[in-house]
Amino acid sequence: MKVILENPEYKGEILEVRLNGEDIRSFAPTRITSQRLIMDIGAIPRKGKNILEILTNNGGYIRRYIEI
């Protein structure tokens, strides 16, 4: 699944990615460096609303709602 993040609040190394509370081990890229990030996540979201959470090395926490 590809996700586009516009204007992420934090930059840095991505430590953890969760989709609907489940830890996702397969994701790329592993670093947030720009205002527009296209992530490839190795997970299949469920139909309807999904919650994507990203934790970064500098204490950043990004939470996005995704509708499929």
Side-chain angles (χ1 to χ4, degrees):
M1 170 179 95
K2 290 203 186 280
V3 176
I4 299 172
L5 287 177
E6 297 282 344
N7 300 318
E9 297 90 344
Y10 300 96
K11 294 190 177 3
E13 296 289 327
I14 298 173
L15 299 178
E16 189 175 339
V17 175
R18 286 183 266 180
L19 182 65
N20 299 321
E22 294 183 30
D23 194 25
I24 306 300
R25 294 288 175 198
S26 173
F27 59 89
T30 59
R31 185 166 182 75
I32 301 173
T33 58
S34 66
Q35 291 299 319
R36 186 166 192 252
L37 175 70
I38 300 174
M39 287 191 76
D40 190 16
I41 300 171
I44 300 171
R46 62 181 180 231
K47 190 171 178 135
K49 292 184 179 181
N50 295 275
I51 301 171
L52 178 69
E53 298 168 297
I54 301 170
L55 300 168
T56 64
N57 66 332
N58 56 2
Y61 175 75
I62 301 169
R63 183 178 178 134
R64 295 285 199 273
Y65 293 94
I66 303 169
E67 182 110 18
I68 304 296

